[in-house]
């Protein structure tokens, strides 16, 4: 499974903090984004950062391994 | 007491500065920054502020930030504490302390850390107002 | 507890920051600077540092400095404490705290006050070293 | 009487913290400086500031009143 996490303004928009997706061979970050876009078309307006296993990634073609944790994040507002 | 922490409870500046000083007898200047909750934000009355972090990423990023500040400004030590709690006006949110042989690097590092923290560390702020809650969207 | 003091005893940052915060619920950023005694100064080992002030002039000058900083940086409040004592390595010498709605003015005012204090306030520092005492002459 | 105060490095050089001088009619700061110079010729090498009654003065012709307090001060080194 792929664990998908949402925080703050993103979790509010999607009305959930966490989703699980089935991992399939050859799956990339773009596949997860496509699935989310289908169900939550406005979601990506507010997403500024994406991390895989706690490390920020910019390349949406990044391949995913089973048990990866993906975080979709709005602009930070800590401090 | 770890030099970098995400915690619900409040912190004591006296205790943090004591821990900072313990690292060196050559510390001539210590700068601190404390971010607090205000009762107004952009004209709206705010009753409470709550924070949420992606801790798996936020804690290592804060640790990296501390190490970078120490190297960049030649600090003797630095500490960063961010609360993940619901706070009211006047309550503490974030604490940064930097110690150096002389005052200028300590003061400049303190400002650099809070600026970087705001742009680099995955923490989000929700303001609770009489008119409802809203997540804060930082200015671009 | 006066906002500006010359005193022998040590100070508590927690108590000072609490007093600073009491002046406003709009304080979003607090910067502090603490000057401490180091065990080395320009290569010489220092056992103790002692301070002497012309108090009749030093206290009003510190009060003026606080008022100027508040006006110049739009601060909500500021505090300055300078010890007139004999201190050892690690001991506190001077404390400055500045509070503003936002972080930048608080941080910049704190740096401005310590720079001005060093050049404007009649206080002198004597370093006691194993080789003897000497009054510190600041670089021109 | 005029009260003359010395601090830190200045008091060390002159080996005293305080002197009293008799006030005479028409006396100026320059008169006090002249008297001190006679007895402590190197003293003024390290004096950077002079204050009368706690207020810095630059004009050595400033007239003095009885009971004035004059402070001779080296460069400050507080903080």
């Amino acid at each position: 499974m792929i664990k998908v996490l949402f925080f703050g303004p993103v979790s509010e928009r999607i009305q959930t903090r966490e989703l699980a997706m089935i991992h399939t061979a050859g799956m990339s970050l773009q596949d997860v984004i496509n699935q989310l876009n289908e169900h939550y078309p406005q979601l990506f307006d507010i997403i500024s950062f994406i991390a895989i296993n706690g490390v920020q990634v910019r390349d949406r073609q990044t391949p995913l391994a089973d048990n990866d944790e993906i975080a979709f994040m709005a602009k930070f507002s800590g401090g | 007491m770890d030099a970098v922490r995400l915690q619900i409870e409040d912190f004591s500046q006296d205790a943090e500065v004591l821990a900072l000083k313990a690292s060196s007898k050559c510390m001539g200047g210590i700068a601190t920054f404390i971010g607090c909750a205000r009762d107004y934000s952009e004209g709206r009355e705010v009753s409470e502020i709550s924070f949420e972090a992606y801790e798996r990423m936020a804690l290592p990023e804060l640790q990296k930030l501390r190490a970078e500040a120490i190297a960049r400004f030649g600090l003797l030590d630095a500490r960063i504490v961010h609360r993940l709690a619901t706070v009211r006006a006047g309550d503490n949110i974030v604490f940064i302390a930097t110690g150096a042989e002389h005052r200028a690097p300590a003061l400049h590092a303190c400002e650099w850390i809070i600026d970087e923290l705001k742009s680099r560390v995955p923490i989000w702020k929700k303001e609770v107002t009489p008119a409802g809650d809203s997540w804060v969207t930082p200015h671009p």
Side-chain angles (χ1 to χ4, degrees), chain A, chain B:
Chain A
M1 299 295 274
I2 302 287
K3 190 178 184 180
V4 186
L5 301 178
F6 310 98
F7 300 92
V10 182
S11 71
E12 186 180 61
R13 185 164 297 195
I14 202 170
Q15 290 295 306
T16 190
R17 303 181 150 269
E18 191 173 333
L19 288 177
M21 285 188 185
I22 292 162
H23 178 260
T24 53
M27 193 179 190
S28 74
L29 177 58
Q30 188 65 58
D31 297 321
V32 173
I33 293 170
N34 292 346
Q35 286 190 50
L36 287 171
N37 252 333
E38 235 171 78
H39 293 88
Y40 311 99
Q42 257 93 69
L43 183 64
F44 282 84
D45 298 355
I46 58 163
I47 288 173
S48 294
F49 307 101
I50 304 172
I52 299 178
N53 301 325
V55 177
Q56 201 187 325
V57 290
R58 289 193 175 78
D59 179 5
R60 293 181 169 207
Q61 301 316 317
T62 304
L64 298 179
D66 200 11
N67 299 315
D68 273 355
E69 179 178 287
I70 307 178
F72 289 100
M73 299 177 282
K75 271 206 183 122
F76 311 142
S77 56
Chain B
M1 200 167 56
D2 287 340
V4 172
R5 304 192 311 278
L6 291 167
Q7 65 186 35
I8 291 170
E9 61 270 23
D10 199 6
F11 45 80
S12 154
Q13 291 129 81
D14 284 329
E16 297 296 332
V17 169
L18 199 68
L20 187 84
K21 278 184 176 180
S23 65
S24 170
K25 287 275 186 191
C26 298
M27 208 175 274
I30 295 170
T32 77
F33 175 77
I34 306 155
C36 312
R38 293 184 294 140
D39 59 355
Y40 272 86
S41 172
E42 302 184 352
R44 289 173 303 112
E45 194 185 327
V46 175
S47 346
E48 287 181 347
I49 302 179
S50 67
F51 290 89
E52 183 176 304
Y54 179 23
E55 294 196 42
R56 179 189 182 164
M57 193 173 165
L59 196 62
E61 189 65 32
L62 285 171
Q63 286 160 339
K64 210 173 130 214
L65 199 51
R66 171 176 175 267
E68 281 179 35
I70 288 172
R72 190 180 180 114
F73 294 92
L75 302 178
L76 294 164
D77 201 4
R79 302 179 73 80
I80 312 174
V81 182
H82 199 298
R83 292 180 71 192
L84 298 179
T86 298
V87 299
R88 299 179 151 269
D91 287 350
N92 293 328
I93 295 167
V94 63
F95 176 81
I96 294 164
T98 51
E101 277 196 57
H102 298 285
R103 67 189 187 280
L107 286 157
H108 299 163
C110 205
E111 183 166 16
W112 184 81
I113 292 172
I114 184 62
D115 288 349
E116 290 288 307
L117 184 152
K118 285 180 176 267
S119 72
R120 284 168 50 173
V121 182
I123 300 177
W124 299 271
K125 177 190 298 182
K126 182 164 68 174
E127 293 178 344
V128 178
T129 75
D133 298 3
S134 64
W135 288 97
V136 173
T137 313
H139 300 287

